[in-house]
Amino acid sequence: MILHNSGKEKSDELEKHIEFTSSSREKFLSDLTRCLENQNDRKKSVGAILLKIFSLRDINHTFGYREGDAFLYRLAGNLRKILKPDDLIFRASENEFLIALSGIMNEGHAILAATKLGKLFEKPVPIADRFINIKSAMGIALFPEHARTAEELLKKSSIALHEAIMEGNSYAVWFDKQEKLSDTSSLVIESHLKDAIEHNELEMQYQPKLDIRDDMIFGVEALVRWSHKELGSISPDYFVAVAEKSDLIDELTASIINTTLKESRKWLNITTSLSISINLSTINLLDETLVDIIQRAINVWDIDPNRLIFEVTESAMMTNPEQSLHILSKINSLGAHCSIDDFGTGYSSLVYLKKLPVTELKIDKSFIQNMPDDASDRMIANSIIDLAHNFNLSVTAEGVESEIILRELKEMNCDNAQGFYIGRPMLNTKLNEWLQNTHWKVRNPVNR
Ligand code: C2E
Ligand code: CA
Ligand code: CA
């Protein structure tokens, strides 16, 4: 087994930190397979982070293999310090490490680990008698969500790594459309998206929200959709991220707000009180004109601002808590409400939770979907509900896919539910029909 960067000497030091170095790809894959097989808890995932170090060859050439090795030992030791004891580090190739995070709950945890690992490369590191900037990038994929085998996991994390390199980001996560889209550069997507926004080609779908306490539909969440002529339908997770990276996000959000408020007028002859939830992205919170855009749309479409709820994810709020507080307070002063989305996947500080002008907390669907078979998910959901109620917030559970889940949530005193069991996201015309024909009661119906 070649443990040494130079391939000449064996190093116990490196072996202490790293599971395996690149003597053969087969051996690496079989070790990784064993690691995946050991993941017994089927509710949890293994997160793979493929970390590429660009500067290794230069270090070896400039300072010699001894210094190159010393750098690798220190790096491996530093990686180890950040990772949990059960996480494994593999040497995937000469300048790539594959880090297997065992038993993680979701993608957010892998991103958090990658963010911590990325910090190792933010400052120049001492090599020989100098300080050198080390360039790196990471690709993230999850087992079993994105890949069923070690080979596939490596492939997807390396596609994500490629994306990170192309985009100049420190990491990227694999997602479903990436393979197809990896041929189409994000600059091309960006220009298509710009056209789509300009030509009003984006559509909104609306997903009903149920008040569990009286079994009444009381609101909808607006979710944006984009179907491209050649590329087909593109996930909002992807194109919202493309918009965030370019300067399109403010335009996109303005168009979403405007279309949603315009279309919401059509529901007024069915119910006058339907609440309307609109998603905001992290970047929107930096835009001082957002509040004016909302105010203008409220005036143009003559909507009661009290019906509006703006959703911001927990992690977006925590990226810049002071700025979030500032913008959300302004939104609040318009008479609209704010909500914390995907709660449970970020790392909220309770201090900020108390300060934020929010009225609703949405439990991330990853905790709800498996509730019937997973006691720990039930416990998490239950404690989030209690926490929210202690802060006087109403709680919406997302990802309610069955009657059993809905019943369990009722027993936990959860306030609201959203999910495929209640209703899928649908276009405005379909929602109109649905509201008139659904077996659920609708809050404040207009008598006709
Ligand atoms: P999100 O805000 O958490 O939206 C909920 C997502 O869960 C939606 O996915 C919805 O279709 C899906 N969903 C709802 N009920 C269920 C269920 O019972 N089971 C399962 N498996 N999924 C369910 P979608 O529409 O693909 O949106 C994904 C994400 O993209 C959203 O997550 C949000 O972060 C972003 N997004 C969507 N629309 C917008 C938008 O208008 N603006 C912004 N900034 N982001 C948006
Ligand atoms: Ca949302
Ligand atoms: Ca959500």
Side-chain angles (χ1 to χ4, degrees), residues 341-342 364 398:
D341 202 357
D342 298 350
D364 191 63
E398 293 188 318

Side-chain angles (χ1 to χ4, degrees), residues 97-362:
F97 293 100
L98 189 127
I99 293 142
L101 309 167
S102 55
I104 60 168
M105 296 297 295
N106 55 47
E107 195 175 286
H109 292 170
I111 291 176
L112 183 78
T115 310
K116 285 188 193 160
L117 297 174
K119 293 210 188 309
L120 288 178
F121 306 97
E122 280 177 359
K123 285 196 205 131
V125 301
I127 293 177
D129 54 354
R130 281 193 249 164
F131 283 88
I132 306 294
N133 272 317
I134 306 293
K135 269 194 64 172
S136 71
M138 289 171 273
I140 302 171
L142 261 54
F143 168 88
E145 287 88 335
H146 303 149
R148 296 264 153 202
T149 63
E151 187 148 24
E152 209 188 333
L153 190 62
L154 181 64
K155 184 177 159 210
K156 303 231 154 128
S157 54
S158 90
I159 294 175
L161 172 66
H162 178 74
E163 159 98 6
I165 297 168
M166 296 295 286
E167 303 278 322
N169 291 329
S170 63
Y171 69 81
V173 186
W174 193 89
F175 53 89
D176 290 344
K177 294 271 164 39
Q178 210 160 29
E179 226 156 358
K180 194 162 126 204
L181 292 173
S182 60
D183 301 338
T184 319
S185 84
S186 68
L187 275 179
V188 174
I189 301 275
E190 198 184 305
S191 90
H192 285 314
L193 182 59
K194 195 171 166 51
D195 286 347
I197 298 171
E198 272 167 18
H199 299 117
N200 278 327
E201 283 164 17
L202 299 178
E203 289 183 305
M204 300 309 297
Q205 289 197 349
Y206 304 93
Q207 184 174 34
K209 289 173 76 180
L210 179 78
D211 187 326
I212 316 185
R213 294 159 305 183
D214 59 6
D215 274 342
M216 282 198 189
I217 300 296
F218 72 98
V220 292
E221 176 175 1
L223 295 157
V224 66
R225 297 288 177 257
W226 181 24
S227 180
H228 185 272
K229 289 184 282 295
E230 284 122 43
L231 297 166
S233 75
I234 301 175
S235 142
D237 275 323
Y238 178 66
F239 70 82
V240 169
V242 168
E244 279 176 348
K245 278 182 218 153
S246 57
D247 53 3
L248 289 175
I249 187 66
D250 294 336
E251 236 177 294
L252 175 66
T253 305
S255 143
I256 286 168
I257 293 171
N258 198 50
T259 307
T260 301
L261 296 207
K262 174 180 160 190
E263 295 195 333
S264 76
R265 295 211 52 86
K266 301 253 168 66
W267 318 326
L268 288 175
N269 60 351
I270 303 167
T271 153
T272 49
S273 68
L274 217 52
S275 76
I276 308 162
S277 297
I278 297 178
N279 292 283
L280 297 178
S281 99
T282 328
I283 315 288
N284 292 140
L285 298 178
L286 301 172
D287 178 16
E288 293 291 331
T289 66
L290 176 72
V291 183
D292 301 332
I293 290 167
I294 297 172
Q295 179 69 72
R296 214 169 314 132
I298 288 173
N299 294 345
V300 169
W301 303 110
D302 190 21
I303 301 293
D304 177 0
N306 189 36
R307 289 173 54 206
L308 299 180
I309 305 172
F310 289 90
E311 295 188 4
V312 181
T313 63
E314 183 193 10
S315 43
M317 285 194 195
M318 288 304 133
T319 312
N320 194 342
E322 291 301 333
Q323 179 67 16
S324 306
L325 183 63
H326 167 67
I327 297 284
L328 297 189
S329 304
K330 281 173 117 181
I331 292 178
N332 235 317
S333 63
L334 298 178
H337 303 272
C338 301
S339 161
I340 309 180
D341 202 357
D342 298 350
F343 191 83
T345 61
Y347 294 84
S348 284
S349 137
L350 289 182
V351 180
Y352 276 109
L353 198 58
K354 222 163 84 179
K355 274 207 232 168
L356 288 169
V358 294
T359 48
E360 179 193 54
L361 188 154
K362 296 183 89 172

Side-chain angles (χ1 to χ4, degrees), residues 17-19 28 32 35-36 46-53 75-76 78-80 82-84 86-92 96-102 104 110 113-114 117-118 120-121 137-141 153-154 157:
H17 300 301
I18 299 183
E19 282 304 304
F28 161 56
L32 182 58
C35 159
L36 300 181
V46 176
I49 302 181
L50 187 63
L51 166 69
K52 189 177 184 108
I53 315 286
L75 176 63
N78 289 336
L79 294 175
R80 218 17 324 151
I82 290 170
L83 298 169
K84 303 221 169 90
D86 289 346
D87 298 339
L88 299 176
I89 308 172
F90 299 93
R91 182 109 176 249
E96 285 174 337
F97 293 100
L98 189 127
I99 293 142
L101 309 167
S102 55
I104 60 168
L117 297 174
L120 288 178
F121 306 97
M138 289 171 273
I140 302 171
L153 190 62
L154 181 64
S157 54

